[in-house]
Amino acid sequence: MSQTYEKVALIGLGLIASSMFWAMKRGGLAGEVRGYARSGETRDIAREIGLCDVVCDSAAEAVKDADLVVLCVPVGAMGAVAQEIAPHLKAGATVSDVGSVKKAVIDAVGPHLPENVHFIPAHPLAGTEHSGPRAGFAELFDNRYTLLVPADGTPLDAVRTLRDLWEGIGAKVEEMDAEHHDLVLGVTSHAPHLIAYTMVGVADDLRRVTDSEVIKYSAAGFRDFTRIAASDPTMWRDVFLNNKDATLEILGRFTEELFALQRAIRTGDGDMLHAYFTRTRAIRRGIIEAGQDTDAPDFGRVKK
Amino acid sequence: MSQTYEKVALIGLGLIASSMFWAMKRGGLAGEVRGYARSGETRDIAREIGLCDVVCDSAAEAVKDADLVVLCVPVGAMGAVAQEIAPHLKAGATVSDVGSVKKAVIDAVGPHLPENVHFIPAHPLAGTEHSGPRAGFAELFDNRYTLLVPADGTPLDAVRTLRDLWEGIGAKVEEMDAEHHDLVLGVTSHAPHLIAYTMVGVADDLRRVTDSEVIKYSAAGFRDFTRIAASDPTMWRDVFLNNKDATLEILGRFTEELFALQRAIRTGDGDMLHAYFTRTRAIRRGIIEAGQDTDAPDFGRVKK
């Protein structure tokens, strides 16, 4: 691996930005990485743990002279950050982001950016239940996908350099359009998160009845849900509000299916249940064969 | 640890029974363990891998002389197995099971058993997505709960010996009544499993539209669901059919909550979403503090 950008600026210093930084250092992918976070406490932590070569006290200072600026803030904050940094961007710079939705980010960020920079939205499909500047680790993106969503007319060399960076970070990179991205992520990530949040909320209601037993005896199913439902509240609020149409469409289909299974339980239709569960088990096998997970009980998750 | 029963019989040789066997051997907890499975193929595999000291060709042969008989078959098969073994049970023996529901098992098994044996239903809260005789490993139950559901009037020493066995196997043991068990497990395990099955089924429909991308780009949320939804179809069919009331009640509450969150997304009520997600995150912290999971990215799952 070799250097892809001379100067990189990370705006927002949470799980994704900090993991990008450690991965860029691991691979020698950037000359200098500057970071900025709105919270003074986050900037202090970043300085304490050596997160970024330089931690700046303003976004303007961080992006000045940067060849690549990556917006690593919640989706709902992208527009305001873009407006703030726009006057300070270097001509020819690439601006990217790591937001979990793409249409809404393009609508919020695009209008603020000057003509002489390249906006290439991106979404790394990786995360943990932890957030904040201390949560990052260099291996987070290894062997995971990062999706690039370049607009028509973006210069190919600008896309190629960003792709080189993400591949150097460890990711597999693919391109797709923003609308399709939002639908695919709606089903693989956004709807499952909302469903996990809901189930954990229901259990919390019941817990009041049963004296913390729900937590004490939480078996495999519920434990997995709680991990998903522990994800950053601000990030996920913004995801749902900004991928509203796809999320609501998928939840509508989910409710239909759930009602069909409930009816099978109520009427004692064991054949329907068995056939359904056999089909979903086969899907799991497909995921393992596609290399998106392993057969091992720890699911191949990266150790810290 | 020391021997708890001289002779143990395991009826059914899947994930739970095979893990019990390896854990009993690890701890020197039983003199001789006999096993029986209805499938000849399963019995052949058991003999090949040394699963059980003796693999019998009939349930009657396995339970004869046994001080403890553990029914490790799907919930829907418990009644027939109890009827089959009843005439061959030794006076004073303990009969237990490992079923995920307890009221239905008690109703199905209890009437078949003679007066001179002790029936102490049990449920180890542990599992993986894998099933069958090769799936077991000695550490499966380490630091997990096993719930005992003894009927009023069961001799205390019989309960104490079964408790000693499970503690020797590595589990934390608690007692509760059958109805309460079925409610608690409904919310922590049964409803989450049905929801995961449903979400994976919805994705499969969508996959036909998007050419396997749903699998390829399956991010954390969906991957966790697919693991849950890969659990044994027969076992789970029987769980839902035999814990119908609790499951349907919890799913009813789940649907109410999901509709409330959908409405918040549709109307753009970010405050409601943020407050909800903050609450569910706190529940996760409670689970970690209760020692039912770890903070690490692999969730403390046991490695094979």
Side-chain angles (χ1 to χ4, degrees):
Chain A
M1 283 178 279
S2 59
Q3 187 171 308
T4 52
Y5 295 96
E6 173 57 32
K7 292 179 186 238
V8 174
L10 302 173
I11 307 300
L13 295 173
L15 168 67
I16 299 297
S18 54
S19 296
M20 285 183 72
F21 174 75
W22 299 119
M24 284 191 280
K25 286 290 133 175
R26 180 184 67 175
L29 302 168
E32 181 187 78
V33 180
R34 296 184 164 224
Y36 167 75
R38 194 177 54 174
S39 148
E41 189 188 343
T42 300
R43 296 197 298 272
D44 288 345
I45 294 170
R47 289 185 180 111
E48 177 198 329
I49 65 177
L51 172 60
C52 293
D53 300 312
V54 181
V55 177
C56 302
D57 286 319
S58 76
E61 188 191 340
V63 306
K64 189 188 152 204
D65 300 328
D67 304 294
L68 171 69
V69 175
V70 188
L71 308 182
C72 306
V73 298
V75 167
M78 294 273 186
V81 169
Q83 186 170 24
E84 186 183 344
I85 63 170
H88 310 284
L89 293 169
K90 185 168 108 171
T94 290
V95 175
S96 188
D97 77 305
V98 296
S100 302
V101 303
K102 295 272 68 87
K103 266 199 305 182
V105 168
I106 291 167
D107 291 346
V109 170
H112 295 296
L113 299 182
E115 287 285 329
N116 62 1
V117 305
H118 310 301
F119 181 35
I120 310 174
H123 180 201
L125 307 188
T128 75
E129 74 196 75
H130 302 289
S131 46
R134 296 187 196 276
F137 52 104
E139 299 81 11
L140 178 63
F141 309 106
D142 285 349
N143 211 32
R144 298 294 169 204
Y145 281 98
T146 290
L147 303 177
L148 302 186
V149 184
D152 292 343
T154 308
L156 283 181
D157 59 340
V159 177
R160 196 178 305 120
T161 307
L162 187 61
R163 176 187 276 267
D164 287 346
L165 177 76
W166 276 107
E167 288 179 350
I169 282 174
K172 298 181 279 189
V173 178
E174 302 228 354
E175 294 176 29
M176 62 173 64
D177 70 51
E179 185 161 3
H180 192 62
H181 168 279
D182 288 358
L183 178 66
V184 171
L185 269 290
V187 75
T188 58
S189 174
H190 306 168
H193 271 79
L194 194 76
I195 287 161
Y197 279 122
T198 307
M199 189 62 225
V200 173
V202 169
D204 186 48
D205 286 343
L206 200 69
R207 181 169 58 127
R208 285 195 280 276
V209 182
T210 61
D211 274 310
S212 89
E213 286 168 319
V214 165
I215 283 182
K216 189 170 171 189
Y217 301 124
S218 65
F222 191 69
R223 277 210 311 278
D224 288 341
F225 278 34
T226 63
R227 190 194 63 84
I228 301 175
S231 304
D232 186 62
T234 303
M235 171 190 157
W236 283 96
R237 176 198 65 196
D238 287 1
V239 165
F240 295 124
L241 295 180
N242 289 286
N243 196 17
K244 185 182 293 197
D245 294 346
T247 303
L248 292 177
E249 183 200 331
I250 293 157
L251 290 175
R253 297 173 70 160
F254 173 84
T255 310
E256 279 176 27
E257 295 273 311
L258 184 61
F259 283 167
L261 286 166
Q262 280 182 259
R263 191 185 317 112
I265 293 172
R266 199 183 301 277
T267 61
D269 186 351
D271 291 344
M272 186 277 196
L273 295 173
H274 194 276
Y276 201 97
F277 303 161
T278 301
R279 183 164 68 94
T280 57
R281 188 176 230 194
I283 296 168
R284 170 76 184 168
R285 304 256 185 273
I287 288 175
I288 291 171
E289 283 161 19
Q292 281 297 288
D293 209 339
T294 76
D295 210 24
D298 74 344
F299 311 135
R301 284 200 185 86
V302 174
K303 310 288 183 307
K304 267 193 195 174
Chain B
M1 284 178 279
S2 58
Q3 187 171 308
T4 53
Y5 296 96
E6 174 57 32
K7 291 181 186 237
V8 174
L10 301 173
I11 307 301
L13 295 172
L15 167 68
I16 299 296
S18 54
S19 296
M20 285 182 72
F21 174 74
W22 300 119
M24 284 190 281
K25 286 290 134 180
R26 181 185 65 175
L29 302 168
E32 181 187 78
V33 181
R34 295 184 166 225
Y36 168 75
R38 194 177 56 177
S39 147
E41 188 188 343
T42 300
R43 296 196 299 271
D44 288 344
I45 293 170
R47 289 183 179 112
E48 175 198 329
I49 65 176
L51 172 60
C52 294
D53 300 312
V54 181
V55 177
C56 301
D57 286 319
S58 76
E61 186 192 342
V63 305
K64 189 187 151 207
D65 301 326
D67 305 293
L68 172 69
V69 175
V70 188
L71 309 181
C72 306
V73 299
V75 167
M78 295 275 184
V81 169
Q83 187 170 25
E84 186 181 346
I85 64 171
H88 310 283
L89 293 168
K90 184 168 107 172
T94 291
V95 175
S96 189
D97 76 305
V98 297
S100 303
V101 304
K102 294 273 67 87
K103 268 199 304 182
V105 168
I106 291 167
D107 291 347
V109 170
H112 296 296
L113 299 182
E115 287 284 330
N116 62 1
V117 305
H118 310 301
F119 179 35
I120 310 175
H123 179 201
L125 307 187
T128 76
E129 74 196 75
H130 302 289
S131 46
R134 296 188 195 275
F137 52 104
E139 299 81 10
L140 178 63
F141 309 106
D142 284 348
N143 210 32
R144 299 292 170 209
Y145 281 97
T146 290
L147 302 178
L148 302 187
V149 184
D152 292 341
T154 309
L156 282 180
D157 60 339
V159 177
R160 197 176 306 120
T161 308
L162 187 60
R163 176 186 276 268
D164 288 345
L165 177 76
W166 275 107
E167 289 179 349
I169 282 175
K172 296 181 282 191
V173 179
E174 303 228 354
E175 295 176 27
M176 63 172 65
D177 71 50
E179 185 162 2
H180 192 62
H181 168 279
D182 288 358
L183 179 65
V184 171
L185 269 290
V187 75
T188 57
S189 175
H190 307 169
H193 271 79
L194 194 75
I195 288 162
Y197 279 123
T198 307
M199 188 64 225
V200 174
V202 169
D204 187 48
D205 286 342
L206 201 68
R207 182 169 56 126
R208 284 195 280 275
V209 182
T210 61
D211 273 310
S212 89
E213 286 169 317
V214 166
I215 283 183
K216 188 171 173 190
Y217 301 125
S218 66
F222 190 70
R223 278 209 313 277
D224 288 340
F225 278 33
T226 62
R227 190 193 63 85
I228 301 174
S231 304
D232 186 62
T234 303
M235 170 188 158
W236 282 97
R237 176 198 65 196
D238 287 0
V239 166
F240 295 124
L241 295 180
N242 288 285
N243 196 17
K244 186 183 291 197
D245 294 345
T247 303
L248 291 177
E249 184 201 330
I250 293 157
L251 291 175
R253 298 173 69 160
F254 172 83
T255 310
E256 280 175 27
E257 295 272 310
L258 184 62
F259 283 166
L261 286 166
Q262 280 182 257
R263 193 185 318 114
I265 293 171
R266 199 182 301 276
T267 62
D269 186 351
D271 291 344
M272 185 277 195
L273 295 173
H274 193 275
Y276 202 98
F277 302 162
T278 301
R279 183 164 69 94
T280 57
R281 187 177 232 194
I283 296 168
R284 169 74 184 169
R285 305 262 185 268
I287 289 174
I288 291 170
E289 283 160 19
Q292 282 297 289
D293 208 339
T294 76
D295 209 25
D298 74 343
F299 312 134
R301 284 202 185 86
V302 174
K303 312 285 184 307
K304 267 194 195 175

